[in-house]
Amino acid sequence: MKPRRFTLPSGEIVAVVLDNGQNKIIRERHFRGRTVQKAGNFALWDFPAQFIDELWFQEKVVHEILRQRPPHGGSNAVEFDFDFFVGWTSMVDQLADPAYRLQYTVSDADGQERIVEVEDHDLRPEEFELRPLRKGLKGEFVVDGSRAPLTKTVTVIAQVKECDWGKFIVIYSIRPGIMMPAHIAPPSRGWYKLDMWEDGLIFWDWESDGDDPADPTYPYGLHNDEPRINLLTGEPIVEEDEEDYDHDSV
């Protein structure tokens, strides 16, 4: 990807580029095409350049990268929450991630709305396998066929470099889903095994299927829209009516 160069409202010039060493990994894991419903893949952008060319990237993402950059240099992970689904996560915090919590709204006798959470539901994976995440770190990967959930969160890992004409942002990762908690770091020797109950983290490998947002039976959030909508596009889901089926056309 060629560097994207633009001027911020403050008048500051910023250039954004993918790190050469991570370019292939970012494309093969997170930008596999909008029709590929897999864990870790974006559903709204086919290429990293499309993500970076969005106006809100310049207004929101770049602003946060600059604001949260480490004072003494180095890369930094920044997490963004959007009002729409962006793709399928490959990591879930069972204790906090709204992409994993099944909720619905009910009204009491006084007409007051409250959120109800379903503790036991079909979206919760039940079988796991301990696998390496990276050197020195292992996590519990879902192996029972449970699909990776949709997410509204994007994590960007980047480094800001000063230039004589402005700032240069090198991106090492753009992925759907939450970032790894800062307190979790592999030890200098041996392995640290993430406890799925204590740390709350579970994982899907890159070839795991993601939930189908257009499936009329998809239970995410138990949303009661009439007609049911595709959670990615917001378009109504048209369900086939068997009575209208024209057998003579087959």
PDB file of all heavy atoms in Angstrom, residues 94 100 124-131 139-144 196-197 201-204:
ATOM      1  N   GLN A  94     -14.850 -12.865  27.838  1.00  0.00           N
ATOM      2  CA  GLN A  94     -16.164 -13.325  28.286  1.00  0.00           C
ATOM      3  C   GLN A  94     -16.744 -12.449  29.390  1.00  0.00           C
ATOM      4  O   GLN A  94     -17.951 -12.401  29.584  1.00  0.00           O
ATOM      5  CB  GLN A  94     -16.070 -14.761  28.801  1.00  0.00           C
ATOM      6  CG  GLN A  94     -15.575 -15.760  27.776  1.00  0.00           C
ATOM      7  CD  GLN A  94     -15.504 -17.139  28.348  1.00  0.00           C
ATOM      8  OE1 GLN A  94     -16.470 -17.875  28.368  1.00  0.00           O
ATOM      9  NE2 GLN A  94     -14.334 -17.517  28.843  1.00  0.00           N
ATOM     10  N   TYR A 100     -19.919 -10.715  22.888  1.00  0.00           N
ATOM     11  CA  TYR A 100     -20.113 -12.077  23.360  1.00  0.00           C
ATOM     12  C   TYR A 100     -21.316 -12.208  24.292  1.00  0.00           C
ATOM     13  O   TYR A 100     -21.872 -13.274  24.467  1.00  0.00           O
ATOM     14  CB  TYR A 100     -18.856 -12.534  24.110  1.00  0.00           C
ATOM     15  CG  TYR A 100     -18.892 -13.977  24.545  1.00  0.00           C
ATOM     16  CD1 TYR A 100     -18.699 -14.996  23.620  1.00  0.00           C
ATOM     17  CD2 TYR A 100     -19.142 -14.329  25.858  1.00  0.00           C
ATOM     18  CE1 TYR A 100     -18.738 -16.318  24.010  1.00  0.00           C
ATOM     19  CE2 TYR A 100     -19.174 -15.648  26.258  1.00  0.00           C
ATOM     20  CZ  TYR A 100     -18.980 -16.648  25.329  1.00  0.00           C
ATOM     21  OH  TYR A 100     -19.025 -17.951  25.705  1.00  0.00           O
ATOM     22  N   ARG A 124     -22.565 -19.764  23.538  1.00  0.00           N
ATOM     23  CA  ARG A 124     -21.375 -19.999  24.364  1.00  0.00           C
ATOM     24  C   ARG A 124     -20.659 -21.288  23.931  1.00  0.00           C
ATOM     25  O   ARG A 124     -21.230 -22.372  23.987  1.00  0.00           O
ATOM     26  CB  ARG A 124     -21.762 -20.103  25.835  1.00  0.00           C
ATOM     27  CG  ARG A 124     -22.259 -18.789  26.433  1.00  0.00           C
ATOM     28  CD  ARG A 124     -22.342 -18.895  27.943  1.00  0.00           C
ATOM     29  NE  ARG A 124     -22.928 -17.699  28.514  1.00  0.00           N
ATOM     30  CZ  ARG A 124     -22.262 -16.576  28.770  1.00  0.00           C
ATOM     31  NH1 ARG A 124     -20.989 -16.504  28.469  1.00  0.00           N
ATOM     32  NH2 ARG A 124     -22.860 -15.533  29.304  1.00  0.00           N
ATOM     33  N   PRO A 125     -19.388 -21.185  23.526  1.00  0.00           N
ATOM     34  CA  PRO A 125     -18.627 -22.393  23.195  1.00  0.00           C
ATOM     35  C   PRO A 125     -18.444 -23.260  24.443  1.00  0.00           C
ATOM     36  O   PRO A 125     -18.419 -22.756  25.565  1.00  0.00           O
ATOM     37  CB  PRO A 125     -17.278 -21.826  22.712  1.00  0.00           C
ATOM     38  CG  PRO A 125     -17.566 -20.404  22.346  1.00  0.00           C
ATOM     39  CD  PRO A 125     -18.633 -19.948  23.284  1.00  0.00           C
ATOM     40  N   GLU A 126     -18.270 -24.556  24.226  1.00  0.00           N
ATOM     41  CA  GLU A 126     -18.142 -25.476  25.346  1.00  0.00           C
ATOM     42  C   GLU A 126     -16.866 -26.301  25.298  1.00  0.00           C
ATOM     43  O   GLU A 126     -16.457 -26.852  26.321  1.00  0.00           O
ATOM     44  CB  GLU A 126     -19.357 -26.407  25.394  1.00  0.00           C
ATOM     45  CG  GLU A 126     -20.678 -25.679  25.661  1.00  0.00           C
ATOM     46  CD  GLU A 126     -21.852 -26.630  25.735  1.00  0.00           C
ATOM     47  OE1 GLU A 126     -21.657 -27.823  25.399  1.00  0.00           O
ATOM     48  OE2 GLU A 126     -22.953 -26.184  26.126  1.00  0.00           O
ATOM     49  N   GLU A 127     -16.242 -26.415  24.114  1.00  0.00           N
ATOM     50  CA  GLU A 127     -15.031 -27.226  24.012  1.00  0.00           C
ATOM     51  C   GLU A 127     -13.859 -26.359  23.557  1.00  0.00           C
ATOM     52  O   GLU A 127     -13.985 -25.569  22.618  1.00  0.00           O
ATOM     53  CB  GLU A 127     -15.243 -28.374  23.021  1.00  0.00           C
ATOM     54  CG  GLU A 127     -16.318 -29.365  23.473  1.00  0.00           C
ATOM     55  CD  GLU A 127     -16.498 -30.492  22.474  1.00  0.00           C
ATOM     56  OE1 GLU A 127     -15.579 -30.697  21.648  1.00  0.00           O
ATOM     57  OE2 GLU A 127     -17.545 -31.163  22.512  1.00  0.00           O
ATOM     58  N   PHE A 128     -12.718 -26.528  24.250  1.00  0.00           N
ATOM     59  CA  PHE A 128     -11.553 -25.682  23.986  1.00  0.00           C
ATOM     60  C   PHE A 128     -10.287 -26.529  23.915  1.00  0.00           C
ATOM     61  O   PHE A 128     -10.244 -27.666  24.394  1.00  0.00           O
ATOM     62  CB  PHE A 128     -11.395 -24.631  25.096  1.00  0.00           C
ATOM     63  CG  PHE A 128     -12.604 -23.768  25.291  1.00  0.00           C
ATOM     64  CD1 PHE A 128     -13.615 -24.161  26.154  1.00  0.00           C
ATOM     65  CD2 PHE A 128     -12.741 -22.569  24.623  1.00  0.00           C
ATOM     66  CE1 PHE A 128     -14.746 -23.380  26.335  1.00  0.00           C
ATOM     67  CE2 PHE A 128     -13.852 -21.775  24.791  1.00  0.00           C
ATOM     68  CZ  PHE A 128     -14.854 -22.183  25.656  1.00  0.00           C
ATOM     69  N   GLU A 129      -9.262 -25.941  23.315  1.00  0.00           N
ATOM     70  CA  GLU A 129      -7.961 -26.598  23.220  1.00  0.00           C
ATOM     71  C   GLU A 129      -6.876 -25.560  23.487  1.00  0.00           C
ATOM     72  O   GLU A 129      -6.880 -24.488  22.871  1.00  0.00           O
ATOM     73  CB  GLU A 129      -7.783 -27.214  21.827  1.00  0.00           C
ATOM     74  CG  GLU A 129      -6.474 -27.943  21.634  1.00  0.00           C
ATOM     75  CD  GLU A 129      -6.392 -28.580  20.253  1.00  0.00           C
ATOM     76  OE1 GLU A 129      -7.025 -29.617  20.049  1.00  0.00           O
ATOM     77  OE2 GLU A 129      -5.718 -27.998  19.375  1.00  0.00           O
ATOM     78  N   LEU A 130      -5.964 -25.857  24.394  1.00  0.00           N
ATOM     79  CA  LEU A 130      -4.893 -24.924  24.732  1.00  0.00           C
ATOM     80  C   LEU A 130      -3.849 -24.917  23.621  1.00  0.00           C
ATOM     81  O   LEU A 130      -3.276 -25.950  23.289  1.00  0.00           O
ATOM     82  CB  LEU A 130      -4.245 -25.332  26.056  1.00  0.00           C
ATOM     83  CG  LEU A 130      -3.267 -24.327  26.680  1.00  0.00           C
ATOM     84  CD1 LEU A 130      -4.001 -23.046  27.076  1.00  0.00           C
ATOM     85  CD2 LEU A 130      -2.569 -24.942  27.886  1.00  0.00           C
ATOM     86  N   ARG A 131      -3.636 -23.746  23.023  1.00  0.00           N
ATOM     87  CA  ARG A 131      -2.695 -23.608  21.903  1.00  0.00           C
ATOM     88  C   ARG A 131      -1.830 -22.368  22.091  1.00  0.00           C
ATOM     89  O   ARG A 131      -2.238 -21.420  22.770  1.00  0.00           O
ATOM     90  CB  ARG A 131      -3.441 -23.475  20.573  1.00  0.00           C
ATOM     91  CG  ARG A 131      -4.331 -24.635  20.191  1.00  0.00           C
ATOM     92  CD  ARG A 131      -5.048 -24.332  18.893  1.00  0.00           C
ATOM     93  NE  ARG A 131      -6.012 -25.355  18.507  1.00  0.00           N
ATOM     94  CZ  ARG A 131      -6.841 -25.235  17.483  1.00  0.00           C
ATOM     95  NH1 ARG A 131      -6.821 -24.128  16.745  1.00  0.00           N
ATOM     96  NH2 ARG A 131      -7.683 -26.205  17.193  1.00  0.00           N
ATOM     97  N   GLY A 139      -3.355 -19.808  24.907  1.00  0.00           N
ATOM     98  CA  GLY A 139      -4.733 -19.477  25.216  1.00  0.00           C
ATOM     99  C   GLY A 139      -5.667 -20.606  24.836  1.00  0.00           C
ATOM    100  O   GLY A 139      -5.287 -21.551  24.132  1.00  0.00           O
ATOM    101  N   GLU A 140      -6.911 -20.507  25.282  1.00  0.00           N
ATOM    102  CA  GLU A 140      -7.921 -21.523  25.007  1.00  0.00           C
ATOM    103  C   GLU A 140      -8.636 -21.202  23.684  1.00  0.00           C
ATOM    104  O   GLU A 140      -9.326 -20.190  23.567  1.00  0.00           O
ATOM    105  CB  GLU A 140      -8.943 -21.570  26.140  1.00  0.00           C
ATOM    106  CG  GLU A 140      -8.363 -21.960  27.485  1.00  0.00           C
ATOM    107  CD  GLU A 140      -8.063 -23.452  27.586  1.00  0.00           C
ATOM    108  OE1 GLU A 140      -8.352 -24.179  26.612  1.00  0.00           O
ATOM    109  OE2 GLU A 140      -7.553 -23.885  28.631  1.00  0.00           O
ATOM    110  N   PHE A 141      -8.474 -22.084  22.694  1.00  0.00           N
ATOM    111  CA  PHE A 141      -9.097 -21.913  21.387  1.00  0.00           C
ATOM    112  C   PHE A 141     -10.371 -22.751  21.297  1.00  0.00           C
ATOM    113  O   PHE A 141     -10.408 -23.899  21.737  1.00  0.00           O
ATOM    114  CB  PHE A 141      -8.145 -22.327  20.267  1.00  0.00           C
ATOM    115  CG  PHE A 141      -7.115 -21.280  19.936  1.00  0.00           C
ATOM    116  CD1 PHE A 141      -6.018 -21.089  20.752  1.00  0.00           C
ATOM    117  CD2 PHE A 141      -7.264 -20.474  18.806  1.00  0.00           C
ATOM    118  CE1 PHE A 141      -5.063 -20.114  20.451  1.00  0.00           C
ATOM    119  CE2 PHE A 141      -6.324 -19.504  18.503  1.00  0.00           C
ATOM    120  CZ  PHE A 141      -5.220 -19.318  19.320  1.00  0.00           C
ATOM    121  N   VAL A 142     -11.405 -22.154  20.715  1.00  0.00           N
ATOM    122  CA  VAL A 142     -12.685 -22.827  20.551  1.00  0.00           C
ATOM    123  C   VAL A 142     -12.549 -23.923  19.497  1.00  0.00           C
ATOM    124  O   VAL A 142     -12.076 -23.671  18.385  1.00  0.00           O
ATOM    125  CB  VAL A 142     -13.771 -21.810  20.110  1.00  0.00           C
ATOM    126  CG1 VAL A 142     -15.087 -22.522  19.832  1.00  0.00           C
ATOM    127  CG2 VAL A 142     -13.954 -20.742  21.184  1.00  0.00           C
ATOM    128  N   VAL A 143     -12.973 -25.142  19.845  1.00  0.00           N
ATOM    129  CA  VAL A 143     -12.844 -26.268  18.904  1.00  0.00           C
ATOM    130  C   VAL A 143     -14.157 -27.034  18.730  1.00  0.00           C
ATOM    131  O   VAL A 143     -14.148 -28.133  18.168  1.00  0.00           O
ATOM    132  CB  VAL A 143     -11.726 -27.240  19.350  1.00  0.00           C
ATOM    133  CG1 VAL A 143     -10.367 -26.572  19.268  1.00  0.00           C
ATOM    134  CG2 VAL A 143     -11.995 -27.776  20.758  1.00  0.00           C
ATOM    135  N   ASP A 144     -15.266 -26.492  19.209  1.00  0.00           N
ATOM    136  CA  ASP A 144     -16.533 -27.213  19.087  1.00  0.00           C
ATOM    137  C   ASP A 144     -17.377 -26.719  17.919  1.00  0.00           C
ATOM    138  O   ASP A 144     -18.549 -27.074  17.794  1.00  0.00           O
ATOM    139  CB  ASP A 144     -17.330 -27.123  20.389  1.00  0.00           C
ATOM    140  CG  ASP A 144     -17.743 -25.696  20.738  1.00  0.00           C
ATOM    141  OD1 ASP A 144     -17.422 -24.776  19.959  1.00  0.00           O
ATOM    142  OD2 ASP A 144     -18.383 -25.502  21.790  1.00  0.00           O
ATOM    143  N   MET A 196      -9.158 -19.213  31.088  1.00  0.00           N
ATOM    144  CA  MET A 196     -10.356 -18.671  30.464  1.00  0.00           C
ATOM    145  C   MET A 196     -11.376 -18.180  31.485  1.00  0.00           C
ATOM    146  O   MET A 196     -12.236 -17.353  31.163  1.00  0.00           O
ATOM    147  CB  MET A 196     -11.003 -19.709  29.547  1.00  0.00           C
ATOM    148  CG  MET A 196     -11.409 -20.985  30.230  1.00  0.00           C
ATOM    149  SD  MET A 196     -12.083 -22.198  29.061  1.00  0.00           S
ATOM    150  CE  MET A 196     -13.641 -21.421  28.693  1.00  0.00           C
ATOM    151  N   TRP A 197     -11.293 -18.665  32.723  1.00  0.00           N
ATOM    152  CA  TRP A 197     -12.233 -18.216  33.749  1.00  0.00           C
ATOM    153  C   TRP A 197     -11.682 -17.022  34.508  1.00  0.00           C
ATOM    154  O   TRP A 197     -12.413 -16.090  34.841  1.00  0.00           O
ATOM    155  CB  TRP A 197     -12.537 -19.366  34.707  1.00  0.00           C
ATOM    156  CG  TRP A 197     -13.048 -20.579  34.007  1.00  0.00           C
ATOM    157  CD1 TRP A 197     -12.443 -21.802  33.932  1.00  0.00           C
ATOM    158  CD2 TRP A 197     -14.258 -20.682  33.240  1.00  0.00           C
ATOM    159  NE1 TRP A 197     -13.186 -22.662  33.175  1.00  0.00           N
ATOM    160  CE2 TRP A 197     -14.308 -22.006  32.744  1.00  0.00           C
ATOM    161  CE3 TRP A 197     -15.281 -19.801  32.923  1.00  0.00           C
ATOM    162  CZ2 TRP A 197     -15.360 -22.455  31.946  1.00  0.00           C
ATOM    163  CZ3 TRP A 197     -16.321 -20.252  32.134  1.00  0.00           C
ATOM    164  CH2 TRP A 197     -16.357 -21.557  31.666  1.00  0.00           C
ATOM    165  N   LEU A 201     -10.459 -14.689  28.640  1.00  0.00           N
ATOM    166  CA  LEU A 201     -10.182 -14.648  27.205  1.00  0.00           C
ATOM    167  C   LEU A 201     -10.297 -16.022  26.548  1.00  0.00           C
ATOM    168  O   LEU A 201      -9.735 -17.003  27.033  1.00  0.00           O
ATOM    169  CB  LEU A 201      -8.783 -14.088  26.953  1.00  0.00           C
ATOM    170  CG  LEU A 201      -8.525 -12.680  27.495  1.00  0.00           C
ATOM    171  CD1 LEU A 201      -7.078 -12.282  27.246  1.00  0.00           C
ATOM    172  CD2 LEU A 201      -9.473 -11.671  26.859  1.00  0.00           C
ATOM    173  N   ILE A 202     -11.013 -16.069  25.418  1.00  0.00           N
ATOM    174  CA  ILE A 202     -11.059 -17.255  24.579  1.00  0.00           C
ATOM    175  C   ILE A 202     -10.795 -16.835  23.140  1.00  0.00           C
ATOM    176  O   ILE A 202     -10.990 -15.667  22.782  1.00  0.00           O
ATOM    177  CB  ILE A 202     -12.405 -18.002  24.690  1.00  0.00           C
ATOM    178  CG1 ILE A 202     -13.568 -17.097  24.286  1.00  0.00           C
ATOM    179  CG2 ILE A 202     -12.602 -18.556  26.087  1.00  0.00           C
ATOM    180  CD1 ILE A 202     -14.914 -17.824  24.255  1.00  0.00           C
ATOM    181  N   PHE A 203     -10.362 -17.795  22.299  1.00  0.00           N
ATOM    182  CA  PHE A 203      -9.873 -17.453  20.960  1.00  0.00           C
ATOM    183  C   PHE A 203     -10.450 -18.380  19.900  1.00  0.00           C
ATOM    184  O   PHE A 203     -10.828 -19.520  20.171  1.00  0.00           O
ATOM    185  CB  PHE A 203      -8.338 -17.541  20.943  1.00  0.00           C
ATOM    186  CG  PHE A 203      -7.673 -16.677  21.975  1.00  0.00           C
ATOM    187  CD1 PHE A 203      -7.498 -17.130  23.279  1.00  0.00           C
ATOM    188  CD2 PHE A 203      -7.229 -15.402  21.649  1.00  0.00           C
ATOM    189  CE1 PHE A 203      -6.892 -16.330  24.241  1.00  0.00           C
ATOM    190  CE2 PHE A 203      -6.634 -14.598  22.600  1.00  0.00           C
ATOM    191  CZ  PHE A 203      -6.468 -15.059  23.895  1.00  0.00           C
ATOM    192  N   TRP A 204     -10.495 -17.852  18.677  1.00  0.00           N
ATOM    193  CA  TRP A 204     -10.841 -18.623  17.486  1.00  0.00           C
ATOM    194  C   TRP A 204      -9.656 -18.556  16.529  1.00  0.00           C
ATOM    195  O   TRP A 204      -9.015 -17.493  16.405  1.00  0.00           O
ATOM    196  CB  TRP A 204     -12.067 -18.040  16.782  1.00  0.00           C
ATOM    197  CG  TRP A 204     -13.371 -18.357  17.418  1.00  0.00           C
ATOM    198  CD1 TRP A 204     -14.261 -19.330  17.055  1.00  0.00           C
ATOM    199  CD2 TRP A 204     -13.996 -17.677  18.530  1.00  0.00           C
ATOM    200  NE1 TRP A 204     -15.373 -19.307  17.865  1.00  0.00           N
ATOM    201  CE2 TRP A 204     -15.241 -18.294  18.771  1.00  0.00           C
ATOM    202  CE3 TRP A 204     -13.602 -16.594  19.333  1.00  0.00           C
ATOM    203  CZ2 TRP A 204     -16.084 -17.885  19.795  1.00  0.00           C
ATOM    204  CZ3 TRP A 204     -14.451 -16.185  20.347  1.00  0.00           C
ATOM    205  CH2 TRP A 204     -15.678 -16.836  20.572  1.00  0.00           C
TER     206      TRP A 204
END
